[in-house]
Structures are given as structure tokens and as C-alpha cells.
Amino acid sequence: MTDLDARALRETYDTRIRPELPNPVPAGVTIERDGPLFRVLGLDKRGFLTYRALGGLAGAELDALIARQVEFFRARGEAVEWKLAGHDEPADLGDRLRAAGFVPEDQETVVVGPVAPLAAAVPVLPEGVRLREVTSRADLERIAAMEEEVWHDDRGHLVHGLAREIEADPQSITIVVAEAGETVVSAGWVRYEGDTGFVSLWGGSTLPRWRRKGIYRALVAYRARLAQQRGRTLVQVDCSPDSRPILERLGLVAVTTTTPYVYTP
């Protein structure tokens, strides 16, 4: 892919995907607006700040916008994530967030591209491993337990968040597990992003002893086929350094980065 392709895909991502707001909005979730910024409350273990662009805000005006978010979440006693894209302006936004008390977490790469090559892939699962679509709370709890084993932190928020998405609209998300017997060894979900033509892929964590066996690639291909069946043509993934090479080999293009900046009262 050329630089022009990457720029065009980034513009499409900005126009169709951002701001990343839940659609439909699950019960118990509220969305508030502060200028160009959206505050999403009650969706996850912490608040979420998102936007398409900041409308040229800079200097003291931008600092004031950031300070209002700090004060808002300090009053709630709640942590909040500001999702910063690598191409966001102004260029010193990350510095201003750090000065206000936000702490950057691990950076990921946003890759975008056509669904078709992913759907056409035919990875072979290891013997004894199968893929299964799930919706029950018991299965969501098994996914959270697998993720806790991988990441060594509490993933209970996944159970509540995914359950509420399913309740709000079962057609907006499909959750897939990879199982070896009774053990969930990996899991991922696909969100059908409204009428944008996009899907986004999430999850993909795999137990260490089951990695490098084609399970992640199989989960990607399975979800891409679901997307293709619904007429979706573009896919977006916020990916780790481990999954980026796999997705690029399947035709996705790196268009920007994304870094969660987290303020904790």
C-alpha cells in the first residue's frame, strides 16, 4: 500500500469511526458533550473521553478543556481515559495531558483495510480447538477468567460491559471463543459500527501455551466472514505489536497510533 492509501484510509477512519461512541447506547450509559469532546459514563471500569477533532483548540483554551475533565472526574472519584490518536492536533496535546495529571498507557497501532482478504484466509486450528459464538453470562465470565490469566489483572468489567452491549442490541456485536475442551484459550468480538460500512475487531488475548498455533488468525478470519455476510467492507483494529504483523500480512494498513491517557483521582 502507498502513503496515499494510508492517508485516505486514515481520513475514512476519522470520518466514519470517530468519535468512538457506543451505538446503540446500553442501559446505564450516558454521553455528555463538552465542546468538541464527548464524555462517556458508565460504559466500562472508567470514564472515556473521545472526539473526532478538537476544532483547533490550543493553548489556554485547550488547557481549560482538559482541566474541566480533571475536575469533573475528580468530583466523581472516577478514573477516565482520554484516547489520543497519534495524528491528533495540536502536536503538544500529549504534553498538556501529562501536565494535567494524565498518565500514558501502552500505545497501540490503528490498522484499517478491506474485509475481503481477512475473510478469505483459511488458517487451520490446532487439533481439539473449536470456535463458538457465545452470548451467555457464564461464557462471558469464562472469557474474563481467561483474560485475567493472560494479563494478571481484574477483567470483571468485560462481563458487565459485553452483557450490556448484547442486551442493548444483539445484532451490534458477535463474541467468539476458541475452546479446547472446557477451556477458553482465546476470545474476540466484532462490533458492527452502525451504518459506516466498518466493523471493528476487539479482544484476541490468548493463553500463553496456545500462542503461535494459528488461533488468533482463525478468530480474525471467522469474524471477517461474519462482517462480509453483513455487507461490511472495511475493518479497523487497535492492535498490539504482536498482532500487527499478522494483520498487515492480511492487507491491513497502519494509519495512526492510539494511546490511552488515564487520569486517576
Side-chain angles (χ1 to χ4, degrees):
M1 303 294 279
T2 67
D3 290 341
L4 178 61
D5 292 325
R7 288 197 299 271
L9 287 170
R10 188 176 74 187
E11 289 173 5
T12 303
Y13 163 76
D14 279 340
T15 302
R16 298 193 199 175
I17 294 292
R18 301 180 77 191
E20 297 178 63
L21 297 172
N23 182 22
V25 179
V29 175
T30 58
I31 299 173
E32 302 175 353
R33 189 160 189 174
D34 186 345
L37 193 67
F38 294 89
R39 286 192 292 257
V40 183
L41 309 173
L43 181 65
D44 207 336
K45 62 181 178 180
R46 59 196 183 198
F48 184 62
L49 298 169
T50 184
Y51 47 90
R52 180 168 292 159
L54 292 176
L57 285 181
E61 287 185 318
L62 179 55
D63 287 339
L65 176 67
I66 295 170
R68 287 198 299 273
Q69 312 320 309
V70 168
E71 183 55 35
F72 180 89
F73 285 96
R74 179 188 292 139
R76 287 172 63 90
E78 179 182 355
V80 61
E81 172 188 335
W82 181 303
K83 186 172 183 177
L84 175 66
H87 64 290
D88 281 346
E89 295 181 348
D92 65 352
L93 177 53
D95 294 334
R96 293 179 181 277
L97 289 170
R98 283 190 291 271
F102 285 80
V103 177
E105 295 187 344
D106 292 342
Q107 184 181 90
E108 294 184 315
T109 301
V110 179
V111 293
V112 177
V115 165
L118 279 67
V122 285
V124 178
L125 283 166
E127 184 177 354
V129 176
R130 64 166 183 162
L131 302 184
R132 181 169 66 92
E133 297 176 25
V134 301
T135 58
S136 74
R137 193 170 189 89
D139 282 319
L140 300 183
E141 289 172 349
R142 295 169 69 224
I143 292 171
M146 178 274 296
E147 292 232 353
E148 287 172 0
E149 185 174 342
V150 171
W151 299 107
H152 308 293
D153 63 7
D154 181 18
R155 294 297 169 113
H157 64 279
L158 278 178
V159 179
H160 307 299
L162 292 173
R164 284 192 297 176
E165 286 189 65
I166 295 168
E167 181 181 6
D169 181 4
Q171 299 304 310
S172 68
I173 185 171
T174 303
I175 303 166
V176 185
V177 295
E179 295 174 311
E182 297 300 315
T183 302
V184 173
V185 301
S186 186
W189 42 101
V190 51
R191 292 185 172 109
Y192 308 96
E193 303 288 350
D195 59 358
T196 64
F198 266 90
V199 295
S200 58
L201 303 185
W202 301 89
S205 298
T206 304
L207 293 176
R209 62 187 177 276
W210 290 96
R211 293 173 188 165
R212 295 178 177 82
K213 298 180 184 293
I215 295 173
Y216 176 78
R217 291 191 297 275
L219 276 169
V220 168
Y222 186 97
R223 289 175 288 167
R225 286 192 287 272
L226 293 176
Q228 196 172 56
Q229 290 166 13
R230 297 196 186 197
R232 303 305 177 104
T233 57
L234 290 169
V235 60
Q236 172 256 322
V237 189
D238 293 358
C239 66
S240 69
D242 290 334
S243 56
R244 177 178 174 177
I246 299 170
L247 295 169
E248 289 184 326
R249 285 195 295 270
L250 291 169
L252 301 192
V253 177
V255 300
T256 190
T257 59
T258 179
T259 304
Y261 276 72
V262 178
Y263 170 76
T264 303

